[in-house]
Amino acid sequence: MTETASASPAKSGAITPEIIAEHGLSPEEYDRVLNALGREPNLTELGIFSVMWSEHCSYKSSRIHLKKLPTEGPQVICGPGENAGVVDIGDGQAAIFKMESHNHPSYIEPYQGAATGVGGILRDVFTMGARPIANMNALRFGRPDHPKMRHLISGVVRGIGGYGNCVGVPTVGGEVNFHAAYDGNILVNAMTVGVAETDKIFYSAASGIGNPIVYVGSKTGRDGIHGATMASADFGEDSEEKRPTVQVGDPFTEKLLIEACLELMASDAIVAIQDMGAAGLTSSSVEMASKGGVGIRLDMDKVPQRETGMTAYEMMLSESQERMLMVLQPGKEAFAEAIFRKWELDFAVIGEVTDTGRMVLVHHGETVCDIPLAPLADDAPLYDRPHVPTPKLAPLVDTPPCTHMGRDLLTLMGSPDIASRRWIWEQYDNKVGGDTVQAPGGDAAVVRVHGTDKAIAISTDCTPRYCFADPVEGGKQAVAECWRNITAVGAKPLAITNCLNFANPQRPEIMGQFVGALEGMGDACRALDFPVVSGNVSLYNESKATGGGSAILPTPAIGGIGLMADWRKAATIAFKGTGDIILAVGDWKGHLGQSIWLRECHGRDGADAGPPPPVDLAAERKTGDFIRAHIDNGAITACHDVSDGGIAVTVAEMALAGNIGAMIQAHDPETPFEDARAFFAEDQGVYIVTVGDASLAAFLAEADTAAVTVQPIGRTCGTRLVFELADSDHAIPLDSLRTAHEGFFPKLMDGEV
């Protein structure tokens, strides 16, 4: 089939319904293509419409709802719409950050899928002029004993570490969940944070008629073709056959690309810049031209190619990695080329900015594409999908007793969602760059802003089982948990990015989950002054593959950052010494619904586990502000927010981190802790802190003034955790807790699970 745009269907071979379906376009969408062009497209043009109108690139099922999220604030320099979000961190500096998904590729080819996910999010950040300072991730896997899961876990972790370690950006934290719903569709969400000067931030809108368009980085190959389309559809039985749609990454080239781009950015040569991510040269060129309200003309013969005989279709849809597109100031071509040649990277002037409002591609002297840009971007399909709310679950009325607290705590500490992630994060270089203040293992990572006293705290969070039980409360909790983790190290939360992972939006119940989660997220962002500045939507996360489940749990992963004026004041979770007083700060109700304890110790999951704990956003804000103030003034010596596993697991993690035990004396019938079950409840907005005797009176008085609930629950001491309850004492040696906590991942990866 010829690529020539002017060829008639009779000569070129008509675009058949089968070809249209293979490109992920519905018959109605193809009618829109015909209307936009006034004629039938050729294959190259069809491919361009296909990727630009894919769910992955156009957000056609989600953007009507994304507009409901708060995106502004005094700290926000640039919100959604650019490569990444930008917030002010003072002193003429900005933090630039974003999170994105690479789910389908990572299931098909876990090493390269995860590695190129890291590479892509790094490019989103340094494209805007920032030097990346930290990587994070949020991972979801299926049942640990699923036949494919060890292979997937090993490949994903090696891919993240292999790329991040080689490119020289520390991977400083993340989260991992396990659930059968991810058996056939794992989630790999990658986040990068960078720092830039506020007067050296670069945007993607092309301008300047006649300005040269420049291609830099690696050569274009045939890897990744149809990657965006593949990411916009359910998995079927043929998922293994989609392996060619997975890109191949080269972190060493990425490192050279970072340095070359930052060197050129120190000059005035760049007018606009965009990385080639999903849909490669197509999305980068269309987005640059459409944002600038201009046209674009590309000479495909000048595109650096690593394979022979490539067609314009292949070049435009390739998702080869480590590539960028730039618009330069006229006359700066030689200057820019010298920089990229010095770094041993390809450099080619491949086109120019025009005033036509059209994308024109020329290959072998023929026009192979001539498309108006508006329909590709601004006029892409927009759907208000039917949606039904998730029914509310009845409150728990038959909560089982806790007959052996020590045994239950050991079970939780060794369970997949709570066990130590040391096996994972020890494969990541979390110290490269020399600015990591807090590495993985705490509530949030803390990375110093190089050459200053400031630090950025970073956290990724979501509790999918809460979102499945109640999407509104789950969305609210995901944002609040991220805010709380950043607060728990003493940083002021600034803004979030997100990665909204859901199943098929054409199912009303799934679309209802999406709408509900965004409602909760929006409420929390507004109440906590925690705006959304960037993000990603990943839909169609379902699998019909053999051995896989159907839909994933709704997983709106939140990545947040906060700012500390002095990195030396960062709090940690570790008990610091014996004799400190342990306090529960925040309203504690003993809510056991959707708790890990119910699931792991009593086999109750999903609807059988009741509603998730509610989030009181006003109390969340009040308690968090109080905690942050007392970390800053030094009264709090250790801090850890309560989440999975409740107070029992929180205290155990603090004890293990400091290698100091505790005596928990909460057997007063007037307290909410007279029943062992209460220690496994997962009430929101609660922190466990330690203070010294000398600070206690002032701390309690100030809490009373601030109307913040504080409950003394014990002291640090010894080498055991001892829970003194009304029925009897329950003692667990730290060595036993550590064995349970550290054992899960090594056993899993050795094939013992």
Side-chain angles (χ1 to χ4, degrees):
M1 181 178 292
T2 181
E3 297 179 306
T4 306
S6 58
S8 69
K11 291 183 179 179
S12 63
I15 300 293
T16 65
E18 291 75 20
I19 291 173
I20 295 166
E22 286 172 4
H23 283 75
L25 292 170
S26 69
E28 295 77 17
E29 288 170 343
Y30 185 65
D31 286 342
R32 292 179 61 137
V33 173
L34 295 177
N35 184 61
L37 291 178
R39 58 175 170 79
E40 186 178 72
N42 63 42
L43 188 62
T44 300
E45 293 168 334
L46 182 71
I48 289 170
F49 271 101
S50 165
V51 294
M52 290 307 299
W53 286 7
S54 69
E55 197 76 64
H56 194 76
C57 291
S58 74
Y59 295 170
K60 57 191 175 186
S61 297
S62 59
R63 67 182 192 271
I64 193 171
H65 299 289
L66 295 174
K67 295 176 182 177
K68 303 172 186 176
L69 295 173
T71 59
E72 298 178 346
Q75 71 274 42
V76 178
I77 295 174
C78 177
E82 276 293 338
N83 287 290
V86 187
V87 295
D88 194 335
I89 59 170
D91 307 310
Q93 293 179 309
I96 299 180
F97 66 107
K98 190 180 182 183
M99 180 190 289
E100 279 203 343
S101 62
H102 229 221
N103 302 334
H104 285 31
S106 298
Y107 181 81
I108 295 168
E109 211 305 298
Y111 183 93
Q112 290 296 346
T116 52
V118 173
I121 198 63
L122 281 165
R123 287 194 299 281
D124 278 339
V125 167
F126 75 74
T127 293
M128 297 193 70
R131 178 171 290 281
I133 64 168
N135 288 331
M136 296 278 283
N137 53 71
L139 311 177
R140 317 286 176 207
F141 296 108
R143 292 167 293 160
D145 60 353
H146 186 278
K148 288 194 69 168
M149 217 47 59
R150 273 201 305 151
H151 163 70
L152 292 170
I153 295 167
S154 175
V156 165
V157 171
R158 286 187 299 110
I160 291 170
Y163 205 100
N165 296 354
C166 291
V167 84
V169 177
T171 300
V172 293
E175 57 168 349
V176 183
N177 287 152
F178 292 85
H179 195 278
Y182 305 104
D183 279 356
N185 198 128
I186 65 172
L187 303 183
V188 175
N189 299 168
M191 177 179 174
T192 293
V193 181
V195 172
E197 301 300 314
T198 54
D199 61 353
K200 279 290 185 181
I201 296 170
F202 291 82
Y203 299 97
S204 58
S207 63
I209 307 306
N211 279 353
I213 296 171
V214 172
Y215 172 119
V216 300
S218 293
K219 289 180 169 61
T220 294
R222 291 189 171 95
D223 51 324
I225 294 174
H226 290 305
T229 305
M230 179 267 290
S232 305
D234 295 344
F235 272 150
E237 301 287 347
D238 61 345
S239 61
E240 288 297 321
E241 297 173 15
K242 296 181 178 179
R243 192 175 299 273
T245 64
V246 179
Q247 312 93 320
V248 177
D250 180 354
F252 300 104
T253 298
E254 181 103 337
K255 174 61 174 173
L256 299 178
L257 190 59
I258 292 173
E259 299 305 330
C261 286
L262 292 177
E263 183 175 340
L264 185 60
M265 286 168 170
S267 72
D268 62 352
I270 298 175
V271 174
I273 182 170
Q274 175 79 38
D275 93 285
M276 295 190 211
L281 189 51
T282 291
S283 65
S284 56
S285 56
V286 170
E287 288 173 13
M288 292 178 78
S290 61
K291 286 177 183 176
V294 297
I296 192 167
R297 181 185 184 279
L298 301 180
D299 184 343
M300 305 307 293
D301 294 311
K302 295 181 179 178
V303 173
Q305 301 161 51
R306 70 166 182 259
E307 299 184 45
T308 59
M310 291 191 73
T311 64
Y313 177 96
E314 292 172 323
M315 284 185 273
M316 291 303 291
L317 271 61
S318 167
E319 293 186 7
S320 295
Q321 297 292 287
E322 295 87 40
R323 303 178 300 158
M324 313 284 279
L325 200 64
M326 298 180 180
V327 177
L328 295 183
Q329 296 283 3
K332 296 291 186 178
E333 297 93 330
F335 170 75
E337 181 172 8
I339 291 174
F340 282 90
R341 297 298 183 196
K342 180 184 74 174
W343 290 99
E344 300 181 347
L345 296 167
D346 277 283
F347 177 100
V349 178
I350 65 169
E352 63 181 3
V353 177
T354 69
D355 61 0
T356 64
R358 303 179 73 85
M359 167 182 273
V360 177
L361 308 179
V362 177
H363 194 212
H364 300 326
E366 293 188 77
T367 299
V368 296
C369 171
D370 189 346
I371 299 177
L373 283 161
L376 284 175
D378 300 335
D379 298 334
L382 177 63
Y383 299 124
D384 187 359
R385 304 275 192 196
H387 55 275
V388 296
T390 300
K392 296 287 186 181
L393 295 176
L396 288 172
V397 294
D398 57 344
T399 308
C402 176
T403 58
H404 197 299
M405 186 168 184
R407 182 182 60 207
D408 285 1
L409 180 55
L410 286 170
T411 296
L412 294 191
M413 293 299 285
S415 66
D417 280 358
I418 293 176
S420 169
R421 273 69 178 127
R422 182 183 300 277
W423 180 89
I424 294 177
W425 57 257
E426 282 189 341
Q427 298 184 54
Y428 304 152
D429 188 339
N430 58 65
K431 297 292 196 301
V432 62
D435 285 318
T436 302
V437 175
Q438 278 199 47
D443 284 323
V446 182
V447 180
R448 185 178 59 172
V449 178
H450 192 73
T452 75
D453 289 334
K454 295 183 298 189
I456 295 174
I458 317 164
S459 184
T460 56
D461 296 281
C462 183
T463 310
R465 67 184 186 278
Y466 291 176
C467 297
F468 181 73
D470 186 332
V472 177
E473 284 298 324
K476 195 185 299 181
Q477 189 271 345
V479 173
E481 169 78 359
C482 186
W483 190 89
R484 196 181 312 135
N485 279 329
I486 290 168
T487 290
V489 298
K492 177 178 175 54
L494 291 178
I496 67 169
T497 183
N498 59 59
C499 201
L500 307 177
N501 308 273
F502 289 80
N504 190 332
Q506 297 177 55
R507 294 166 54 189
E509 69 275 18
I510 299 300
M511 201 65 211
Q513 293 174 349
F514 185 87
V515 173
L518 261 68
E519 178 187 337
M521 288 169 54
D523 289 346
C525 288
R526 282 182 284 270
L528 301 174
D529 290 336
F530 208 26
V532 181
V533 297
S534 60
N536 171 246
V537 178
S538 175
L539 301 178
Y540 295 96
N541 288 292
E542 298 195 10
S543 175
K544 300 176 181 65
T546 302
S550 180
I552 64 163
L553 300 182
T555 311
I558 304 297
I561 70 164
L563 181 66
M564 298 193 71
D566 186 349
W567 62 268
R568 299 170 191 84
K569 292 186 175 183
T572 69
I573 71 171
F575 287 156
K576 301 301 185 297
T578 59
D580 283 349
I581 301 160
I582 305 169
L583 307 170
V585 183
D587 295 328
W588 190 258
K589 309 291 187 186
H591 189 106
L592 282 162
Q594 295 299 320
S595 64
I596 291 280
W597 178 73
L598 275 181
R599 190 182 76 190
E600 296 296 327
C601 297
H602 297 280
R604 293 177 60 169
D605 194 11
D608 192 39
V615 181
D616 182 334
L617 292 168
E620 185 82 56
R621 178 72 179 265
K622 179 176 62 176
T623 304
D625 290 348
F626 177 82
I627 289 288
R628 200 179 310 111
H630 287 79
I631 290 174
D632 185 67
N633 69 22
I636 291 174
T637 55
C639 182
H640 194 9
D641 81 302
V642 176
S643 56
D644 287 349
I647 283 180
V649 167
T650 304
V651 170
E653 290 174 342
M654 298 174 82
L656 291 178
N659 201 31
I660 297 170
M663 182 80 70
I664 306 300
Q665 302 157 319
H667 56 274
D668 184 344
E670 298 301 317
T671 75
F673 303 111
E674 72 274 8
D675 189 325
R677 292 174 295 186
F679 284 99
F680 298 113
E682 296 174 8
D683 293 72
Q684 299 297 294
V686 179
Y687 303 78
I688 301 301
V689 305
T690 56
V691 299
D693 280 321
S695 303
L696 180 62
F699 188 89
L700 294 175
E702 290 168 26
D704 187 59
T705 299
V708 170
T709 302
V710 177
Q711 172 70 53
I713 61 170
R715 281 188 184 267
T716 59
C717 61
T719 59
R720 301 184 301 167
L721 285 188
V722 180
F723 292 85
E724 294 187 343
L725 300 177
D727 59 348
S728 63
D729 291 355
H730 299 256
I732 313 102
L734 291 190
D735 286 347
S736 299
L737 285 169
R738 195 178 306 281
T739 298
H741 194 48
E742 299 280 356
F744 169 76
F745 268 101
K747 288 180 180 178
L748 171 64
M749 302 315 293
D750 286 344
E752 298 176 25
V753 173

